[in-house]
Each structure stands twice: as C-alpha cells, then as structure tokens.
Amino acid sequence: MKAISFTQHALPIDNPQALIDISLPRPTPGPRDLLVEVRAVSVNPVDTKVRAGTFTKEPKILGWDATGIVREVGAEVTLFQPGDEVFYAGSIARTGSYSEFHLVDERIVGHKPHSLSAADAAALPLTSITAWELLFDRLGVVEGTGEGKCLLITGAAGGVGSMLVQLARKLTRLTVIGTASRQETADWVRQLGAHHVIDHSQPLLAQLQALGVPEIDYVASLTHTEQHLVSIAVLKAKAGKEQALKEELLTLIEPTRAEPGNLDYVLFEQRDEQGTFYMREAFRDQAALDAHFSMPYFQRFAATADDLLQEPLQLIFLEQVSA
Ligand SMILES: NC(=O)c1ccc[n+]([C@@H]2O[C@H](COP(=O)([O-])OP(=O)(O)OC[C@H]3O[C@@H](n4cnc5c(N)ncnc54)[C@H](OP(=O)(O)O)[C@@H]3O)[C@@H](O)[C@H]2O)c1
C-alpha cells in the first residue's frame, strides 16, 4: 500500500523531502482492530508538532483523523463489519492515517454521518473530541446549564474553536464570546452561533467592558495563550504619597494602551488599603514588554518610583490554572 511519511524532522514543509511517498505491506488487524481503506484525512496542529519534534531513522507516518470503509475486522471485533463507513481520530501511539489502509481499534471509531462527505467528516473527529472534552470534562459545564454565565473562547475561528462555539451554543445556555482578528474569521464565528465576537489583537478587557460583560465564568484559551497571560504589578505608596502615586500611575494608562504590543493595562486600588495599587498588564510578548519599559513616560515614572514607593515594585506573573 502507499503511504506518506517523513524521516527528517523539522524540514520546512516546502522542502521536497519534508513528506515522502513510500510503499509498505498492507497491515493485518489485531483482535479489536478494523482495517480501514482510507477515503479522506485531515491535517491538525499535532501533525506539525510531531513532525517537528520527532527524531526518526525509519519513515514515520503522520495523520490522526480519517474517514474510510472497513475492509477487514479482527477476530474479536463486535461493533463494525466490512463495508461500514467510519470516522475516527486514531491514536498517537499507533501508525498514522496518511496511508491507503489503516488499523484502528474499534472502540475509538464511529459510523460516518451519512449527511457528510468523506472529506467533511474527516475534518471533525479530533477537533470535536477536543472541544467536547474541554467544555464538559475540563471546564465541567453540565449539558443544558450555564444560564447567566459566560464562556470566552480565544481563537474561536480555528479548528477546535469552531466546534466549541457550536457545542456551547447547541448544548448549553452559556453566553458565548469568541475572539477573531479578521473580518472573515469574525463573520465565521458569528455564523457558528457566538453571541459576541471580539478581536484578540486588541486588549480584551476593554472590549468585554464595552459589551457590558462584567465577569467571565469560563475561558477556553486555544492558542497563543502566552499573549493573553496576565501579570500584576503591586505598587505600595509611601505614607503621604498615596495621591501622588495614583496620579503618576494614571498618566501611564493612556499611552501604554496605545502601544501596539499592549493587550491590557488596568489600574486597581485595594479597597481596604488606600495607597496600594495593582496594575494588571498583558503584553503581546517579551519584546513588547521591553518596548514598554523603554518608553519615555515609563522611564519618567521609574525615575520617581523611589520617592513614591514604600517598597520596590513587585511583579507577579499569573498563569491560569482553573477554568
Ligand atoms: N485541531 C485539533 O484537533 C486539536 C486537538 C487537540 C489540541 N489542539 C490544540 O489546540 C490549539 C488550537 O488548535 P486549532 O486546530 O483550533 O488551531 P487553528 O485552527 O490553527 O487556530 C487558528 C486560529 O487561531 C487564531 N489566532 C491567531 N492568533 C491568535 C491570537 N494571538 N490569539 C488568539 N487566537 C489567535 C486565528 O484567528 P484569526 O485568524 O481570527 O486571527 C485562527 O482562526 C493548538 O494548540 C492545538 O495544538 C488542537
């Protein structure tokens, strides 16, 4: 049978050796295996990641998602028979699906929906399973619930996001807010059913506030998570300098928000401890943060910091660990 493989990791995809055609014997099913004649496969980020991160001398076959027709079944197979049309996401522990024939354990296979073409059905399994597990297993949302609560999906137009928006709209009562940065992706996310679409290339908080969303209950951060990570600067004023520090910090807000690499910049004052301020900050990347530190208004603030601050500036970097 024919298959598509790689041997040298991390070659640019336009290099003729990045993916090569090979011929292999047709595999024989194990006890619970189906031998599937593959009709369509899809490409997911995992294919790129495995190709980039695998050192192999033997040709390795990529591919997880597939649709096809069952041609042979293992001795203990009970759920399918030859001729069945199937779709599945396969297993990372086994040989991939970019081949004419493919073995898959019957316990992770479904009947291909009649309403979908082979190609459309092949695009579904891995993204849908990921979105399903994220929403119901990891975030713990219960089907039919979520009234009055909000789900924010960053990267909502991508493979996983597209499925997540639809599952959340069809199966829960959550308010769904998706992010997309281009007109066509924003339109797509709206078409899939999101209640609101905001732009992940702009500060998210201001857009959420403009929507009148005071609080997000669930966040599915699907891509570029590091850009949306938040740090908090804690600034404690010297006695008598509370108002002066507040005024200085307020002068930073507008110019910082106008920096192209800034995603979020909001000042809070601790309610029961006047003069203790928290600046919640998010920058696109380290270069954007470095650029911020070199801005004249930040340098001017840094020059006054000793005079205003009770203790040196403390930066806390936050990583989201719960939903
Ligand atoms: N695909 C799968 O089946 C699968 C399974 C398990 C895990 N995963 C993981 O889940 C993640 C997402 O996979 P995917 O297949 O959904 O990816 P994808 O389809 O490649 O996602 C592309 C989307 O990411 C958005 N995006 C670009 N820059 C962004 C930013 N700065 N902030 C937020 N969104 C941004 C783009 O939106 P705009 O064009 O509007 O900017 C685009 O629609 C990956 O880490 C992947 O490894 C995927």
PDB file of all heavy atoms in Angstrom, residues 200-226:
ATOM      1  N   HIS A 200      -8.848  39.402  19.197  1.00  0.00           N
ATOM      2  CA  HIS A 200      -7.737  39.067  20.104  1.00  0.00           C
ATOM      3  C   HIS A 200      -6.464  39.865  19.826  1.00  0.00           C
ATOM      4  O   HIS A 200      -5.488  39.726  20.538  1.00  0.00           O
ATOM      5  CB  HIS A 200      -7.426  37.562  20.099  1.00  0.00           C
ATOM      6  CG  HIS A 200      -7.354  36.950  18.748  1.00  0.00           C
ATOM      7  ND1 HIS A 200      -8.177  35.932  18.355  1.00  0.00           N
ATOM      8  CD2 HIS A 200      -6.579  37.211  17.692  1.00  0.00           C
ATOM      9  CE1 HIS A 200      -7.912  35.596  17.117  1.00  0.00           C
ATOM     10  NE2 HIS A 200      -6.946  36.363  16.689  1.00  0.00           N
ATOM     11  N   SER A 201      -6.448  40.696  18.764  1.00  0.00           N
ATOM     12  CA  SER A 201      -5.262  41.528  18.542  1.00  0.00           C
ATOM     13  C   SER A 201      -5.385  42.856  19.294  1.00  0.00           C
ATOM     14  O   SER A 201      -4.478  43.673  19.270  1.00  0.00           O
ATOM     15  CB  SER A 201      -5.049  41.782  17.045  1.00  0.00           C
ATOM     16  OG  SER A 201      -6.042  42.646  16.555  1.00  0.00           O
ATOM     17  N   GLN A 202      -6.513  43.068  19.954  1.00  0.00           N
ATOM     18  CA  GLN A 202      -6.737  44.290  20.735  1.00  0.00           C
ATOM     19  C   GLN A 202      -6.962  43.887  22.199  1.00  0.00           C
ATOM     20  O   GLN A 202      -7.303  42.743  22.468  1.00  0.00           O
ATOM     21  CB  GLN A 202      -7.995  45.019  20.225  1.00  0.00           C
ATOM     22  CG  GLN A 202      -7.937  45.424  18.772  1.00  0.00           C
ATOM     23  CD  GLN A 202      -6.813  46.412  18.506  1.00  0.00           C
ATOM     24  OE1 GLN A 202      -6.575  47.316  19.300  1.00  0.00           O
ATOM     25  NE2 GLN A 202      -6.102  46.216  17.407  1.00  0.00           N
ATOM     26  N   PRO A 203      -6.753  44.847  23.141  1.00  0.00           N
ATOM     27  CA  PRO A 203      -6.982  44.499  24.550  1.00  0.00           C
ATOM     28  C   PRO A 203      -8.375  43.893  24.748  1.00  0.00           C
ATOM     29  O   PRO A 203      -9.372  44.451  24.296  1.00  0.00           O
ATOM     30  CB  PRO A 203      -6.858  45.843  25.272  1.00  0.00           C
ATOM     31  CG  PRO A 203      -5.990  46.669  24.383  1.00  0.00           C
ATOM     32  CD  PRO A 203      -6.293  46.233  22.980  1.00  0.00           C
ATOM     33  N   LEU A 204      -8.406  42.740  25.409  1.00  0.00           N
ATOM     34  CA  LEU A 204      -9.680  42.025  25.546  1.00  0.00           C
ATOM     35  C   LEU A 204     -10.593  42.688  26.576  1.00  0.00           C
ATOM     36  O   LEU A 204     -11.801  42.761  26.390  1.00  0.00           O
ATOM     37  CB  LEU A 204      -9.427  40.570  25.955  1.00  0.00           C
ATOM     38  CG  LEU A 204      -8.607  39.713  24.972  1.00  0.00           C
ATOM     39  CD1 LEU A 204      -8.505  38.278  25.496  1.00  0.00           C
ATOM     40  CD2 LEU A 204      -9.230  39.716  23.582  1.00  0.00           C
ATOM     41  N   LEU A 205      -9.963  43.153  27.657  1.00  0.00           N
ATOM     42  CA  LEU A 205     -10.784  43.645  28.768  1.00  0.00           C
ATOM     43  C   LEU A 205     -11.676  44.801  28.336  1.00  0.00           C
ATOM     44  O   LEU A 205     -12.878  44.817  28.627  1.00  0.00           O
ATOM     45  CB  LEU A 205      -9.892  44.072  29.933  1.00  0.00           C
ATOM     46  CG  LEU A 205     -10.693  44.408  31.177  1.00  0.00           C
ATOM     47  CD1 LEU A 205     -11.216  43.143  31.840  1.00  0.00           C
ATOM     48  CD2 LEU A 205      -9.894  45.238  32.148  1.00  0.00           C
ATOM     49  N   ALA A 206     -11.081  45.764  27.614  1.00  0.00           N
ATOM     50  CA  ALA A 206     -11.859  46.936  27.205  1.00  0.00           C
ATOM     51  C   ALA A 206     -13.040  46.496  26.335  1.00  0.00           C
ATOM     52  O   ALA A 206     -14.148  47.034  26.450  1.00  0.00           O
ATOM     53  CB  ALA A 206     -10.963  47.901  26.442  1.00  0.00           C
ATOM     54  N   GLN A 207     -12.808  45.502  25.484  1.00  0.00           N
ATOM     55  CA  GLN A 207     -13.897  45.045  24.608  1.00  0.00           C
ATOM     56  C   GLN A 207     -14.992  44.338  25.409  1.00  0.00           C
ATOM     57  O   GLN A 207     -16.178  44.475  25.121  1.00  0.00           O
ATOM     58  CB  GLN A 207     -13.350  44.109  23.537  1.00  0.00           C
ATOM     59  CG  GLN A 207     -12.361  44.794  22.600  1.00  0.00           C
ATOM     60  CD  GLN A 207     -11.794  43.802  21.598  1.00  0.00           C
ATOM     61  OE1 GLN A 207     -12.439  43.422  20.654  1.00  0.00           O
ATOM     62  NE2 GLN A 207     -10.553  43.385  21.833  1.00  0.00           N
ATOM     63  N   LEU A 208     -14.571  43.575  26.427  1.00  0.00           N
ATOM     64  CA  LEU A 208     -15.567  42.899  27.266  1.00  0.00           C
ATOM     65  C   LEU A 208     -16.383  43.939  28.039  1.00  0.00           C
ATOM     66  O   LEU A 208     -17.603  43.814  28.164  1.00  0.00           O
ATOM     67  CB  LEU A 208     -14.879  41.929  28.232  1.00  0.00           C
ATOM     68  CG  LEU A 208     -14.252  40.702  27.567  1.00  0.00           C
ATOM     69  CD1 LEU A 208     -13.392  39.928  28.572  1.00  0.00           C
ATOM     70  CD2 LEU A 208     -15.328  39.784  26.996  1.00  0.00           C
ATOM     71  N   GLN A 209     -15.669  44.972  28.507  1.00  0.00           N
ATOM     72  CA  GLN A 209     -16.390  46.027  29.235  1.00  0.00           C
ATOM     73  C   GLN A 209     -17.370  46.727  28.307  1.00  0.00           C
ATOM     74  O   GLN A 209     -18.504  47.022  28.682  1.00  0.00           O
ATOM     75  CB  GLN A 209     -15.395  47.018  29.840  1.00  0.00           C
ATOM     76  CG  GLN A 209     -14.746  46.455  31.108  1.00  0.00           C
ATOM     77  CD  GLN A 209     -13.530  47.251  31.558  1.00  0.00           C
ATOM     78  OE1 GLN A 209     -12.966  48.026  30.789  1.00  0.00           O
ATOM     79  NE2 GLN A 209     -13.119  47.035  32.791  1.00  0.00           N
ATOM     80  N   ALA A 210     -16.941  46.953  27.060  1.00  0.00           N
ATOM     81  CA  ALA A 210     -17.828  47.625  26.097  1.00  0.00           C
ATOM     82  C   ALA A 210     -19.077  46.776  25.823  1.00  0.00           C
ATOM     83  O   ALA A 210     -20.143  47.307  25.533  1.00  0.00           O
ATOM     84  CB  ALA A 210     -17.076  47.900  24.805  1.00  0.00           C
ATOM     85  N   LEU A 211     -18.926  45.461  25.932  1.00  0.00           N
ATOM     86  CA  LEU A 211     -20.094  44.579  25.733  1.00  0.00           C
ATOM     87  C   LEU A 211     -20.992  44.553  26.965  1.00  0.00           C
ATOM     88  O   LEU A 211     -22.072  43.970  26.942  1.00  0.00           O
ATOM     89  CB  LEU A 211     -19.636  43.140  25.477  1.00  0.00           C
ATOM     90  CG  LEU A 211     -18.952  42.810  24.157  1.00  0.00           C
ATOM     91  CD1 LEU A 211     -18.520  41.346  24.173  1.00  0.00           C
ATOM     92  CD2 LEU A 211     -19.896  43.072  22.997  1.00  0.00           C
ATOM     93  N   GLY A 212     -20.461  45.107  28.060  1.00  0.00           N
ATOM     94  CA  GLY A 212     -21.225  45.068  29.307  1.00  0.00           C
ATOM     95  C   GLY A 212     -21.101  43.723  30.004  1.00  0.00           C
ATOM     96  O   GLY A 212     -21.985  43.316  30.752  1.00  0.00           O
ATOM     97  N   VAL A 213     -19.992  43.014  29.728  1.00  0.00           N
ATOM     98  CA  VAL A 213     -19.777  41.721  30.394  1.00  0.00           C
ATOM     99  C   VAL A 213     -18.861  41.964  31.588  1.00  0.00           C
ATOM    100  O   VAL A 213     -17.679  42.220  31.425  1.00  0.00           O
ATOM    101  CB  VAL A 213     -19.114  40.714  29.426  1.00  0.00           C
ATOM    102  CG1 VAL A 213     -18.792  39.419  30.140  1.00  0.00           C
ATOM    103  CG2 VAL A 213     -20.030  40.466  28.244  1.00  0.00           C
ATOM    104  N   PRO A 214     -19.391  41.924  32.801  1.00  0.00           N
ATOM    105  CA  PRO A 214     -18.567  42.279  33.955  1.00  0.00           C
ATOM    106  C   PRO A 214     -17.571  41.183  34.323  1.00  0.00           C
ATOM    107  O   PRO A 214     -16.513  41.447  34.851  1.00  0.00           O
ATOM    108  CB  PRO A 214     -19.590  42.468  35.073  1.00  0.00           C
ATOM    109  CG  PRO A 214     -20.779  41.671  34.655  1.00  0.00           C
ATOM    110  CD  PRO A 214     -20.761  41.559  33.165  1.00  0.00           C
ATOM    111  N   GLU A 215     -17.898  39.943  34.017  1.00  0.00           N
ATOM    112  CA  GLU A 215     -17.096  38.836  34.518  1.00  0.00           C
ATOM    113  C   GLU A 215     -17.194  37.657  33.558  1.00  0.00           C
ATOM    114  O   GLU A 215     -18.262  37.402  32.997  1.00  0.00           O
ATOM    115  CB  GLU A 215     -17.708  38.383  35.846  1.00  0.00           C
ATOM    116  CG  GLU A 215     -16.722  38.091  36.915  1.00  0.00           C
ATOM    117  CD  GLU A 215     -17.432  37.901  38.239  1.00  0.00           C
ATOM    118  OE1 GLU A 215     -18.046  36.844  38.389  1.00  0.00           O
ATOM    119  OE2 GLU A 215     -17.374  38.822  39.071  1.00  0.00           O
ATOM    120  N   ILE A 216     -16.060  36.952  33.389  1.00  0.00           N
ATOM    121  CA  ILE A 216     -16.083  35.756  32.546  1.00  0.00           C
ATOM    122  C   ILE A 216     -16.057  34.538  33.465  1.00  0.00           C
ATOM    123  O   ILE A 216     -15.246  34.466  34.380  1.00  0.00           O
ATOM    124  CB  ILE A 216     -14.842  35.728  31.632  1.00  0.00           C
ATOM    125  CG1 ILE A 216     -14.871  36.892  30.638  1.00  0.00           C
ATOM    126  CG2 ILE A 216     -14.730  34.402  30.899  1.00  0.00           C
ATOM    127  CD1 ILE A 216     -15.939  36.793  29.604  1.00  0.00           C
ATOM    128  N   ASP A 217     -16.955  33.599  33.247  1.00  0.00           N
ATOM    129  CA  ASP A 217     -17.007  32.419  34.118  1.00  0.00           C
ATOM    130  C   ASP A 217     -16.087  31.309  33.621  1.00  0.00           C
ATOM    131  O   ASP A 217     -15.480  30.581  34.393  1.00  0.00           O
ATOM    132  CB  ASP A 217     -18.448  31.907  34.184  1.00  0.00           C
ATOM    133  CG  ASP A 217     -19.381  32.989  34.693  1.00  0.00           C
ATOM    134  OD1 ASP A 217     -19.463  33.139  35.907  1.00  0.00           O
ATOM    135  OD2 ASP A 217     -19.984  33.713  33.867  1.00  0.00           O
ATOM    136  N   TYR A 218     -15.998  31.130  32.298  1.00  0.00           N
ATOM    137  CA  TYR A 218     -15.170  30.067  31.732  1.00  0.00           C
ATOM    138  C   TYR A 218     -14.308  30.648  30.609  1.00  0.00           C
ATOM    139  O   TYR A 218     -14.814  31.419  29.789  1.00  0.00           O
ATOM    140  CB  TYR A 218     -16.029  28.964  31.112  1.00  0.00           C
ATOM    141  CG  TYR A 218     -17.001  28.325  32.081  1.00  0.00           C
ATOM    142  CD1 TYR A 218     -18.332  28.701  32.093  1.00  0.00           C
ATOM    143  CD2 TYR A 218     -16.567  27.337  32.973  1.00  0.00           C
ATOM    144  CE1 TYR A 218     -19.239  28.116  32.967  1.00  0.00           C
ATOM    145  CE2 TYR A 218     -17.464  26.748  33.853  1.00  0.00           C
ATOM    146  CZ  TYR A 218     -18.797  27.140  33.849  1.00  0.00           C
ATOM    147  OH  TYR A 218     -19.681  26.560  34.715  1.00  0.00           O
ATOM    148  N   VAL A 219     -13.019  30.252  30.580  1.00  0.00           N
ATOM    149  CA  VAL A 219     -12.139  30.700  29.493  1.00  0.00           C
ATOM    150  C   VAL A 219     -11.553  29.480  28.802  1.00  0.00           C
ATOM    151  O   VAL A 219     -10.967  28.611  29.454  1.00  0.00           O
ATOM    152  CB  VAL A 219     -10.977  31.566  30.034  1.00  0.00           C
ATOM    153  CG1 VAL A 219     -10.052  31.994  28.888  1.00  0.00           C
ATOM    154  CG2 VAL A 219     -11.505  32.792  30.765  1.00  0.00           C
ATOM    155  N   ALA A 220     -11.736  29.387  27.493  1.00  0.00           N
ATOM    156  CA  ALA A 220     -11.048  28.355  26.710  1.00  0.00           C
ATOM    157  C   ALA A 220     -10.008  29.082  25.860  1.00  0.00           C
ATOM    158  O   ALA A 220     -10.341  29.712  24.865  1.00  0.00           O
ATOM    159  CB  ALA A 220     -12.048  27.613  25.829  1.00  0.00           C
ATOM    160  N   SER A 221      -8.764  29.035  26.310  1.00  0.00           N
ATOM    161  CA  SER A 221      -7.687  29.732  25.592  1.00  0.00           C
ATOM    162  C   SER A 221      -7.028  28.714  24.676  1.00  0.00           C
ATOM    163  O   SER A 221      -6.277  27.857  25.128  1.00  0.00           O
ATOM    164  CB  SER A 221      -6.689  30.301  26.605  1.00  0.00           C
ATOM    165  OG  SER A 221      -5.671  30.971  25.915  1.00  0.00           O
ATOM    166  N   LEU A 222      -7.321  28.784  23.382  1.00  0.00           N
ATOM    167  CA  LEU A 222      -6.953  27.691  22.483  1.00  0.00           C
ATOM    168  C   LEU A 222      -5.612  27.884  21.808  1.00  0.00           C
ATOM    169  O   LEU A 222      -5.015  26.929  21.327  1.00  0.00           O
ATOM    170  CB  LEU A 222      -8.040  27.524  21.415  1.00  0.00           C
ATOM    171  CG  LEU A 222      -9.434  27.220  21.966  1.00  0.00           C
ATOM    172  CD1 LEU A 222     -10.437  27.103  20.846  1.00  0.00           C
ATOM    173  CD2 LEU A 222      -9.415  25.949  22.800  1.00  0.00           C
ATOM    174  N   THR A 223      -5.156  29.104  21.730  1.00  0.00           N
ATOM    175  CA  THR A 223      -3.911  29.325  21.005  1.00  0.00           C
ATOM    176  C   THR A 223      -3.278  30.634  21.463  1.00  0.00           C
ATOM    177  O   THR A 223      -3.965  31.497  21.998  1.00  0.00           O
ATOM    178  CB  THR A 223      -4.186  29.319  19.483  1.00  0.00           C
ATOM    179  OG1 THR A 223      -2.948  29.443  18.789  1.00  0.00           O
ATOM    180  CG2 THR A 223      -5.106  30.433  19.038  1.00  0.00           C
ATOM    181  N   HIS A 224      -1.971  30.756  21.300  1.00  0.00           N
ATOM    182  CA  HIS A 224      -1.239  31.967  21.704  1.00  0.00           C
ATOM    183  C   HIS A 224      -1.566  32.352  23.150  1.00  0.00           C
ATOM    184  O   HIS A 224      -1.691  33.536  23.467  1.00  0.00           O
ATOM    185  CB  HIS A 224      -1.573  33.135  20.775  1.00  0.00           C
ATOM    186  CG  HIS A 224      -1.095  32.925  19.365  1.00  0.00           C
ATOM    187  ND1 HIS A 224      -1.731  32.095  18.496  1.00  0.00           N
ATOM    188  CD2 HIS A 224      -0.044  33.436  18.703  1.00  0.00           C
ATOM    189  CE1 HIS A 224      -1.092  32.083  17.337  1.00  0.00           C
ATOM    190  NE2 HIS A 224      -0.061  32.884  17.441  1.00  0.00           N
ATOM    191  N   THR A 225      -1.690  31.339  24.010  1.00  0.00           N
ATOM    192  CA  THR A 225      -2.107  31.616  25.389  1.00  0.00           C
ATOM    193  C   THR A 225      -1.151  32.596  26.068  1.00  0.00           C
ATOM    194  O   THR A 225      -1.587  33.454  26.834  1.00  0.00           O
ATOM    195  CB  THR A 225      -2.165  30.302  26.183  1.00  0.00           C
ATOM    196  OG1 THR A 225      -3.087  29.456  25.520  1.00  0.00           O
ATOM    197  CG2 THR A 225      -2.628  30.513  27.605  1.00  0.00           C
ATOM    198  N   GLU A 226       0.148  32.468  25.740  1.00  0.00           N
ATOM    199  CA  GLU A 226       1.129  33.318  26.428  1.00  0.00           C
ATOM    200  C   GLU A 226       0.832  34.806  26.212  1.00  0.00           C
ATOM    201  O   GLU A 226       1.102  35.628  27.057  1.00  0.00           O
ATOM    202  CB  GLU A 226       2.563  32.970  26.010  1.00  0.00           C
ATOM    203  CG  GLU A 226       2.968  33.315  24.586  1.00  0.00           C
ATOM    204  CD  GLU A 226       2.314  32.442  23.521  1.00  0.00           C
ATOM    205  OE1 GLU A 226       1.655  31.443  23.873  1.00  0.00           O
ATOM    206  OE2 GLU A 226       2.458  32.770  22.331  1.00  0.00           O
TER     207      GLU A 226
END
